[in-house]
Amino acid sequence: QFLAKDGRAAVLLTIDGVSAPATGTLTMDVDHQLKAVISTDVGAPMPDFVGQDADGHSIGLTDLLGKVAYVDFGEMTCPGSITGAPILASLYATYHSKGLDVVTVLVYGPTTLVSSTPADLITWQSTYSLPFPIVRDPFGATKIFNRNPITSASDFPTGYLLDAAGVIRYRFAGWDGAGLSAALAAMLP
């Protein structure tokens, strides 16, 4: 649970029913501890997340359960995110009628991982004519989902293809339109 307090980030972590508050900046040590608890490996259940669209509506993992879904973590100035947006729209057009759902979680700033504004979401969606939801990450989940498991650096874009039960079947670090297309063809013939 991520809370705002006096302009600083405050985090309440609950692990095995025990809650511990922490304030200030998340450190790499905390990031590594979170990664040990929250797996984004292929074959693991997708950790829950919630983003907000431009109108403030929440969209999260529970909205995607029961469908094959692609969750795209992108960054507004990233060349891979920019290249991938129209291709993702095309794949959505091809596979949505077969059961695909897509959501993009958009941040602004690859090093700061600043949450996008509602205006950023509207611009991104209209620039690339995206027919699926674009949400911002006001709670900082991107720090967990976007980490390269080897280097711990941020990878943009990072995408997760989930089965209907919410299990990660494919993880894409960087943009791989051909790989995503082949994975979708295998999951949604």
Side-chain angles (χ1 to χ4, degrees):
Q1 180 178 4
F2 298 81
L3 309 168
K5 181 178 179 180
D6 300 331
R8 295 184 333 172
V11 179
L12 177 65
L13 297 175
T14 303
I15 300 171
D16 294 332
V18 178
S19 296
T23 60
T25 305
L26 289 176
T27 64
M28 288 302 290
D29 184 47
V30 171
D31 285 345
H32 289 295
Q33 290 175 26
L34 286 172
K35 283 171 58 178
V37 174
I38 301 173
S39 175
T40 56
D41 295 335
V42 171
M46 179 75 166
D48 200 6
F49 69 93
V50 176
Q52 293 176 340
D53 68 12
D55 295 324
H57 299 112
S58 295
I59 297 173
L61 178 63
T62 56
D63 298 301
L64 303 174
L65 294 176
K67 309 164 213 169
V68 171
Y70 186 72
V71 182
D72 170 48
F73 288 88
E75 190 269 317
M76 291 191 69
T77 62
C78 168
S81 296
I82 292 166
T83 299
I87 299 168
L88 190 53
S90 176
L91 290 170
Y92 179 84
T94 300
Y95 289 99
H96 181 66
S97 64
K98 295 181 180 186
L100 176 67
D101 220 346
V102 173
V103 64
T104 291
V105 180
L106 192 65
V107 297
Y108 187 89
T111 55
T112 58
L113 298 180
V114 173
S115 181
S116 300
T117 66
D120 293 333
L121 302 180
I122 292 166
T123 299
W124 188 262
Q125 196 152 27
S126 65
T127 298
Y128 301 107
S129 301
L130 302 175
F132 47 81
I134 311 298
V135 299
R136 61 193 195 98
D137 177 20
F139 305 113
T142 305
K143 284 192 74 150
I144 298 165
F145 292 106
N146 248 46
R147 291 289 178 194
N148 179 309
I150 298 168
T151 67
S152 289
S154 293
D155 281 336
F156 285 103
T158 298
Y160 297 92
L161 186 56
L162 314 177
D163 65 18
V167 174
I168 300 168
R169 294 299 171 202
Y170 297 88
R171 180 182 190 274
F172 299 92
W175 183 250
D176 181 2
L180 178 56
S181 181
L184 288 170
M187 290 183 71
L188 295 167

